[in-house]
Amino acid sequence: MSSHGRALPGEPDEPAETSMPAADRPGALPTVDFAVDLSSHELLRRAHVLDALGSDWDPVAALRGEEAAYELLYSGLSAEQQRVYDELVSAGVLPRRGDGHAAA
């Protein structure tokens, strides 16, 4: 509010009623507790995911493939890349792999 008693651009004309809880304000509607149980939906979602993966999906093979991809990702690093990798490992950003150095 300006010193002349007028609201500045972007300011409300009257102060908001922040000192009174919403439920105690005149004309306020009562609040209602609302809860939704998504357990059955989550089970259905998981069933759909497993169905989409198919019966030939092998989680152990998938994890091995992921590890092999990380091996490739961190292989053949330049000296500067290796330094950054080592810093990220020591900072806890990347997990330590093997002896702590990327595969050559």
Side-chain angles (χ1 to χ4, degrees):
M1 176 107 26
S2 72
S3 60
H4 301 292
R6 285 190 254 160
L8 296 173
E11 289 186 350
D13 292 329
E14 297 180 21
E17 297 178 27
T18 57
S19 61
M20 190 182 301
D24 295 337
R25 292 186 189 143
L29 297 174
T31 59
V32 177
D33 286 337
F34 182 75
V36 177
D37 182 6
L38 296 175
S39 301
S40 62
H41 178 73
E42 177 61 15
L43 289 174
L44 181 61
R45 185 195 67 81
R46 288 180 185 186
H48 286 298
V49 167
L50 290 174
D51 188 43
L53 289 171
S55 61
D56 61 340
W57 179 65
D58 182 1
V60 175
L63 287 173
R64 284 189 191 124
E66 190 173 316
E67 286 299 316
Y70 278 117
E71 294 284 330
L72 287 174
L73 180 64
Y74 298 117
S75 65
L77 300 179
S78 69
E80 175 64 12
Q81 291 168 330
Q82 184 68 52
R83 184 190 63 73
V84 171
Y85 171 82
D86 291 338
E87 285 180 15
L88 291 172
V89 168
S90 64
V93 175
L94 291 174
R96 182 167 302 283
R97 300 193 177 278
D99 63 357
H101 291 83

